[in-house]
Amino acid sequence: MIIQSVASDPLSDVLAMTGLRAACSVRLQAGGVWALRFRPIELKFNVVRRGECWLLTEHGPAQRLVAGDCFVVSRTPFVLASSPEVEAVDAAVVFSHEGASATMGVGDDVELLGGSVCVERPGAVELIDLLPAAFVIPARAAGASSFAWLLDELDREWQSAQVGGFSVCNDLLRMIFVHALRYHISTATLDNLSWLGGLRDPAIAAVLGAIHRQPEKPWRLVELADIACLSRSSFAARFKAQVGQAPVEYAAHWRMRVAASRLQKGSESVSAVAASLGYLSDAAFGVAFRRVHGTSPGRYRRTGSL
């Protein structure tokens, strides 16, 4: 048997620091004239399994959804309806009476599955902030079938009540989140991607990978430019344009992100974290940590959050 380890990448490194937790999985069947208003706390993933309906938000025109379409909504109210003109009922009222499944209208022409997540760490919040308020993954798009399959698996696992089910639901939701991010990275304009845009540029992605693999290294501009095979001036301008930060600044911030993650786990002392990230003294580490996070490493470690 040959076992190959999968190489890490910048997005996977960031995802490893997020705390996504399954909040719920729901099923909706509807027919005739109907409309439901949802108010997601963090992220809501959905797929139209049968029929068609409309998605309405405050951030754009109404969108018609058909079977196989998936959509992601981030922290913004939205309405699902048989037509855009129908007055919506609060979904919380409907689902509070019927639990994880609900029916609306007359018949079952339309069926949707949805899953929601809560976040527990600042890293997840930063990633969610990079997503648009709502976007649709059309059934014909690459990756839509995987997205829909994962939501189907989430629904089955949530309903099964098997041992270990909550852990499986959390893992499935993390996978769904990754697929949503992949689609967004591959389809959005660079202006709407922040640092994720750098992952679409092979030269910049190589630099991001190097920084993430060696967070303890005091990176210099010339070293990073060599990795990108660009002159220092061209590289610095290109990196700043795509990532939104200067290369050395990004490296320093990533080092402090790693530090915060290790401190949050609570298994290492402040001194151990400082030494592992290349700092010769706790004082120097404290100054760098406070500059990024606004609090001392010791206080952060005690409170476990920013």
Side-chain angles (χ1 to χ4, degrees):
M1 179 185 294
I2 299 175
I3 300 177
Q4 294 180 325
S5 58
V6 178
S8 184
D9 62 87
L11 181 57
S12 295
D13 294 334
V14 173
L15 286 166
M17 297 181 183
T18 62
L20 298 177
R21 179 173 57 84
C24 66
S25 176
V26 298
R27 181 189 293 107
L28 171 67
Q29 291 184 331
V33 178
W34 61 276
L36 278 177
R37 176 177 289 102
F38 296 83
R39 294 180 174 86
I41 298 174
E42 296 294 350
L43 272 179
K44 189 167 178 61
F45 308 106
N46 307 266
V47 61
V48 181
R49 297 180 74 182
R50 183 176 68 250
E52 60 184 61
C53 62
W54 288 84
L55 169 66
L56 299 92
T57 72
E58 301 173 353
H59 302 278
Q63 298 183 74
R64 178 173 169 270
L65 304 174
V66 299
D69 285 351
C70 307
F71 62 97
V72 182
V73 181
S74 172
R75 298 174 176 170
T76 188
F78 68 96
V79 171
L80 293 174
S82 57
S83 69
E85 298 80 19
V86 180
E87 185 174 351
V89 176
D90 192 345
V93 175
V94 175
F95 281 95
S96 67
H97 293 307
E98 304 198 30
S101 298
T103 58
M104 281 293 293
V106 179
D108 59 356
D109 301 329
V110 184
E111 183 179 28
L112 297 101
L113 282 181
S116 297
V117 299
C118 296
V119 300
E120 299 176 331
R121 299 177 193 167
V125 175
E126 292 176 13
L127 275 179
I128 290 173
D129 286 343
L130 298 178
L131 292 174
F135 64 94
V136 176
I137 304 176
R140 63 183 181 277
S145 59
S146 296
F147 197 96
W149 180 86
L150 287 165
L151 279 165
D152 279 340
E153 287 299 304
L154 175 67
D155 180 61
R156 280 192 286 271
E157 194 64 41
W158 195 273
Q159 304 295 331
S160 70
Q162 294 188 62
V163 293
F166 191 70
S167 293
V168 173
C169 287
N170 281 338
D171 289 340
L172 286 168
L173 279 168
R174 277 190 284 269
M175 293 173 69
I176 291 168
F177 187 36
V178 173
H179 278 276
L181 283 169
R182 282 178 172 175
Y183 181 82
H184 181 55
I185 291 170
S186 65
T187 59
T189 62
L190 288 176
D191 291 342
N192 294 321
L193 284 175
S194 185
W195 71 270
L196 293 174
L199 300 178
R200 293 199 338 205
D201 184 325
I204 303 303
V207 171
L208 291 172
I211 291 172
H212 282 233
R213 284 192 298 273
Q214 293 182 278
E216 74 286 352
K217 185 170 180 174
W219 289 99
R220 295 181 300 151
L221 180 61
V222 64
E223 295 172 313
L224 298 173
D226 286 344
I227 294 171
C229 299
L230 296 168
S231 69
R232 279 180 291 179
S233 58
S234 295
F235 165 68
R238 188 160 157 183
F239 191 99
K240 180 70 178 289
Q242 296 193 20
V243 179
Q245 289 179 295
V248 174
E249 181 186 6
Y250 179 90
H253 275 72
W254 174 248
R255 187 180 301 118
M256 291 302 100
R257 289 275 299 278
V258 173
S261 178
R262 292 179 182 174
L263 289 169
Q264 192 174 51
K265 292 176 181 177
S267 59
E268 297 178 86
S269 67
V270 171
S271 295
V273 173
S276 70
L277 291 173
Y279 288 91
L280 300 179
S281 71
D282 290 358
F285 174 61
V287 170
F289 192 91
R290 186 183 293 275
R291 186 182 301 121
V292 173
H293 295 300
T295 188
S296 69
R299 186 171 183 273
Y300 180 83
R301 188 171 185 270
R302 289 191 298 272
T303 59
S305 62
L306 295 176

